[in-house]
Amino acid sequence: MKIEHIWPAALRKPLVPGYDHPPYAQVVVATRDSGERSVHIAGTFGTYKDGSIDEGDMGAQVRQAHENIRLCLEEIGGTVENLVRVKIYVTDMDLYLKEGNPAEMELAKHAPAASTLVQIVRLANPKALVEIEAYAELGIKGQLLRETHS
């Protein structure tokens, strides 16, 4: 099995002072001998490439986190249809259900994945209201490994 650690060029790369690389990989791809790949996308905030975030706007943060996840998948030849699981961490469940859930449903209409939603006290980025982890499975050359059901 081959393990790749990837930081998509389209995403902001946060650095820790004194180090020339982030303390984690944004994307880890495990390629099996068959060529099939498991993709693990680190917790993703709704930040833009310049590091800014739509403060206080749950819907905008969810949409941008989805865009960042889409960019991660695109970097390795996948799409949101390859998603098999998402984990969503929010600081305000009521706000998420009001503003974030409609944005989440936009992603789910293309690729319903197994999902977990958890409210927590805070996130590593104090301006973030949501952080989303994503997992995908890709076949050889990015094809889907699962049937899509409506």
Side-chain angles (χ1 to χ4, degrees):
M1 179 179 300
K2 177 182 171 189
I3 305 290
E4 296 175 86
H5 302 87
I6 300 167
W7 201 284
L11 298 184
R12 178 177 173 269
K13 187 184 282 189
L15 297 177
V16 174
Y19 296 89
D20 63 353
H21 58 82
Y24 61 95
Q26 183 63 33
V27 181
V28 174
V29 179
T31 303
R32 296 182 277 288
D33 292 340
S34 65
E36 295 171 341
R37 298 177 288 163
S38 292
V39 181
H40 306 263
I41 300 173
T44 304
F45 296 122
T47 52
Y48 299 96
K49 175 122 175 149
D50 66 3
S52 65
I53 193 166
D54 292 311
E55 288 187 56
D57 189 334
M58 178 72 80
Q61 288 189 26
V62 169
R63 284 187 295 279
Q64 186 58 41
H66 287 170
E67 175 61 11
N68 293 342
I69 290 166
R70 187 192 67 74
L71 290 168
C72 288
L73 290 165
E74 184 178 271
E75 181 85 8
I76 52 96
T79 71
V80 296
E81 291 179 347
N82 295 109
L83 289 173
V84 295
R85 180 162 183 70
V86 294
K87 294 180 182 178
I88 306 163
Y89 303 93
V90 299
T91 58
D92 184 330
M93 185 68 73
D94 292 331
L95 184 62
Y96 175 83
L97 294 174
K98 181 180 175 188
E99 296 178 11
N101 202 35
E104 192 66 37
M105 292 306 293
E106 279 301 305
L107 180 69
K109 79 178 182 182
H110 301 292
S115 178
T116 299
L117 175 62
V118 178
Q119 180 173 313
I120 61 172
V121 175
R122 70 175 272 218
L123 296 163
N125 179 335
K127 296 177 182 177
L129 301 171
V130 61
E131 182 172 357
I132 303 173
E133 293 179 13
Y135 306 87
E137 290 290 330
L138 282 76
I140 300 166
K141 297 187 180 176
Q143 77 241 25
L144 290 174
L145 290 178
R146 60 182 167 83
E147 291 183 28
T148 302
H149 299 284
S150 333

